[in-house]
Amino acid sequence: MKKILLSVLTMGSLMSVQGALVQYSVTLDGLSESPVNASPGFGSGTVNYDNVTHSLQIQVSFSGLTGTTTASHIHAGTAAPFAGTAGVATTTPYFAGFPIGVSSGSYSTTLDLTLASSWNGAYITANGGTTSGAETALGTAMADGKAYWNIHSTTFGGGEIRGFLVPVPEPSTIALAGLGTLGIAGSAWNRRRINKS
Amino acid sequence: MYLVRTCVCWWIFSIILALRAAEALAHEEVVILVGRSAAGEIKLDLDFAQPIELPASVFPGISGHATGEVALHSTILDDATNDFFQLSNAADFRFILVAKDSGVEVWNDTGSGYMGIGETFYVGAFPFDTHPVWNIVNGTQGNVYWLTLKLRDLNGVYPDSAPFALSFTPSPPPPKVSITQVDPQHATLSWTTNAANWNLQSAISLTTNWESVTNIPATAGADFSLTITLDRPQQFFRLHRE
């Protein structure tokens, strides 16, 4: 039984490491800004990173900004996870076609990470001078909780709402977590049964 | 016959959508890069063309020409060759409006009004990225308007920067593409020959990449003219500034 469980765990780990698509969710608000602000604005979105096709599929919806949008991009990587600020990683001043001059809106696109135009030039330079270096750095920052999506507005030049990218557990990870929980519960039940007898 | 008519109508509808997209200005990176010298002085890298063209404002409540695209970034590189290094994160920056021409403004950091002379704008600690709104309120086409600023570190790690000047000019209105259906299979696109540095691009949808149209347009009076074949379910066109 132990051998079977170990095999399942090992297989799950390998699937997790080799998976091409890494999914992140993002919740943007003023409380997550640095410095914190009292904006009632809110946004949510997803970022799907494919390390085989070298693409970043991004999507966001936002509303309730006190100002109107002036810029938006993903920053990486902060010194510590889920805190602080970092330089701009993606296209400046904003993603192509991002809605500017609005207090609510939605946006989605897929960035080709092999193109220099998908990046802030300085971010490429800071990471070996190649788009692949920039991609590796951003991929690591996202995985480590050190990348955030910021939306700047006319009332908050440094950003009205932002949110760190949070990994979305893969179905295999959820299944493994469930399996682990079941295993712990089963072990506890078995110990209790032995103690009673 | 009904199907053909429907297809042509849909095609033309797509073209009209594209023409609206064509009105958007291409945007270029304009960054005021902030660093320090080895001697501990604030340095600025203004490596962009001036005057900066401001497009017609798209911001409700902000009239004239305006943009939030001109940003202040702290450098994320150490460049010993140019004596330009990353800032200390112990510093806390503001920029100060030192002087300005009549007709040009920069909005304050709460968006509640124009900055006054001597007023400060929050920039923050390294690393920073802030996008003030630069605004020519009452501008004349062709005129240049100047703002003079300087950076201050409230924590005293660095002395004030030397004053630096930014110049702005109202952007001319973007050229427009017009379309005329010649027959059910052809349409003609035309745009002004005055649109220097603007290239015709096309895409099969608004979410795919735009590609340059390599067909050479004819010149008819003051316009470029290009006849296209209506052989796709939809196609989008725009003029893109180089």
Side-chain angles (χ1 to χ4, degrees):
Chain A
M1 180 64 190
K2 271 184 185 171
K3 276 184 184 171
I4 293 170
L5 194 61
L6 194 66
S7 304
V8 171
L9 282 169
T10 308
M11 218 164 78
S13 309
L14 285 174
M15 281 169 66
S16 179
V17 169
Q18 292 175 346
L21 190 69
V22 191
Q23 297 181 300
Y24 296 90
S25 66
V26 58
T27 301
L28 303 94
D29 56 25
L31 288 174
S32 305
E33 279 290 350
S34 178
V36 168
N37 68 55
S39 169
F42 180 81
S44 64
T46 55
V47 173
N48 296 332
Y49 170 45
D50 191 321
N51 60 20
V52 172
T53 62
H54 306 289
S55 64
L56 199 68
Q57 186 184 44
I58 61 174
Q59 171 273 322
V60 71
S61 293
F62 58 92
S63 61
L65 301 185
T66 58
T68 57
T69 50
T70 54
S72 181
H73 20 239
I74 293 173
H75 296 243
T78 55
F82 307 113
T85 58
V88 177
T90 55
T91 323
T92 60
Y94 46 80
F95 302 112
F98 189 88
I100 294 301
V102 297
S103 57
S104 65
S106 58
Y107 176 74
S108 68
T109 196
T110 300
L111 298 175
D112 180 343
L113 300 181
T114 65
L115 299 177
S117 58
S118 296
W119 299 96
N120 173 14
Y123 192 75
I124 294 177
T125 309
N127 289 286
T130 63
T131 55
S132 63
E135 182 183 338
T136 302
L138 180 60
T140 305
M142 290 191 296
D144 293 346
K146 295 178 177 177
Y148 61 91
W149 192 335
N150 200 9
I151 297 179
H152 302 255
S153 76
T154 51
T155 47
F156 293 95
E160 177 160 352
I161 58 173
R162 77 166 187 172
F164 278 88
L165 309 188
V166 177
V168 176
E170 295 174 62
S172 61
T173 311
I174 295 169
L176 284 172
L179 208 60
T181 309
L182 277 176
I184 291 165
S187 169
W189 177 80
N190 198 32
R191 237 179 290 146
R192 194 177 296 169
R193 195 171 57 87
I194 292 166
N195 288 344
K196 273 186 183 171
S197 62
Chain B
M1 187 59 193
Y2 173 75
L3 183 66
V4 171
R5 252 188 230 153
T6 307
C7 285
V8 170
C9 286
W10 169 236
W11 211 93
I12 295 299
F13 176 65
S14 300
I15 289 281
I16 289 166
L17 280 179
L19 297 179
R20 290 183 64 180
E23 293 171 12
L25 276 171
H27 53 82
E28 295 169 357
E29 180 178 338
V30 179
V31 170
I32 301 162
L33 200 58
V34 185
R36 65 168 175 84
S37 67
E41 292 168 334
I42 298 172
K43 288 186 74 175
L44 295 129
D45 179 1
L46 308 179
D47 187 19
F48 49 81
Q50 296 206 52
I52 301 161
E53 284 191 358
L54 295 189
S57 173
V58 296
F59 307 109
I62 298 178
S63 59
H65 292 74
T67 188
E69 294 183 17
V70 182
L72 282 95
H73 285 192
S74 51
T75 184
I76 54 171
L77 298 165
D78 287 325
D79 179 1
T81 308
N82 292 305
D83 189 27
F84 197 73
F85 299 92
Q86 295 179 76
L87 297 158
S88 162
N89 55 15
D92 185 15
F93 295 96
R94 305 290 184 273
F95 77 72
I96 301 170
L97 180 61
V98 176
K100 70 179 188 71
D101 284 351
S102 175
V104 66
E105 306 286 352
V106 53
W107 285 72
N108 65 24
D109 55 15
T110 59
S112 62
Y114 305 140
M115 286 182 74
I117 301 296
E119 196 175 337
T120 61
F121 187 106
Y122 178 86
V123 176
F126 166 86
F128 54 77
D129 163 35
T130 194
H131 292 253
V133 176
W134 315 92
N135 185 194
I136 297 174
V137 184
N138 299 307
T140 304
Q141 206 74 54
N143 282 8
V144 177
Y145 301 87
W146 290 87
L147 289 172
T148 305
L149 314 170
K150 68 177 176 181
L151 272 171
R152 173 165 294 167
D153 165 25
L154 298 188
N155 291 347
V157 177
Y158 305 107
D160 285 2
S161 75
F164 60 99
L166 300 174
S167 60
F168 301 91
T169 189
S171 178
K176 292 184 178 178
V177 190
S178 62
I179 184 167
T180 309
Q181 187 171 2
V182 179
D183 58 46
Q185 281 79 43
H186 297 92
T188 299
L189 300 170
S190 56
W191 65 99
T192 176
T193 53
N194 288 332
N197 301 323
W198 291 80
N199 288 329
L200 187 68
Q201 294 186 329
S202 78
I204 54 171
S205 85
L206 291 177
T207 55
T208 54
N209 289 338
W210 290 89
E211 291 179 358
S212 292
V213 175
T214 53
N215 299 14
I216 297 169
T219 304
D223 284 342
F224 287 125
S225 164
L226 184 66
T227 299
I228 51 172
T229 306
L230 308 177
D231 57 356
R232 293 180 182 178
Q234 63 177 22
Q235 195 167 5
F236 298 86
F237 291 90
R238 72 177 184 184
L239 288 174
H240 184 262
R241 192 165 56 179
E242 292 275 288

